[in-house]
Amino acid sequence: MNEALDKVRKGEYARLSGKDRRFIKGQKYTLLSPQGQPLAGGASVAEALFKANRRLNKAYLLKEMFSHCGLQA
């Protein structure tokens, strides 16, 4: 699931430009960290990122749903 989420992140980075693109750059580990273990400042950064980009939000939520259900892709 982490690989799929990272592909979405890379796709969004390639699709966007300007301020939105710069905001996504450097957020890989914020997105890949488990919801219960945010990185330093990761929770607020992740929330802002999800508000700015619905595709990343949806991909992250799917990743978390799979991990809570004990499913592995």
Side-chain angles (χ1 to χ4, degrees):
M1 290 308 302
N2 282 343
E3 289 177 26
L5 177 58
D6 200 39
K7 284 182 183 181
V8 172
R9 182 190 61 82
K10 288 176 182 179
E12 287 300 285
Y13 181 78
R15 186 179 70 84
L16 299 171
S17 63
K19 181 181 173 186
D20 293 331
R21 185 177 181 155
R22 286 192 304 268
F23 188 60
I24 290 175
K25 186 175 178 90
Q27 299 305 321
K28 177 179 181 176
Y29 295 106
T30 300
L31 291 170
L32 298 182
S33 67
Q35 189 176 14
Q37 301 174 350
L39 298 172
S44 61
V45 171
E47 289 172 12
L49 183 60
F50 297 149
K51 286 180 184 176
N53 192 296
R54 291 181 59 186
R55 291 178 183 173
L56 283 175
N57 186 18
K58 190 173 190 177
Y60 182 81
L61 291 174
L62 288 170
K63 176 188 84 99
E64 289 298 311
M65 283 182 5
F66 272 85
S67 69
H68 287 293
C69 293
L71 301 174
Q72 295 181 0

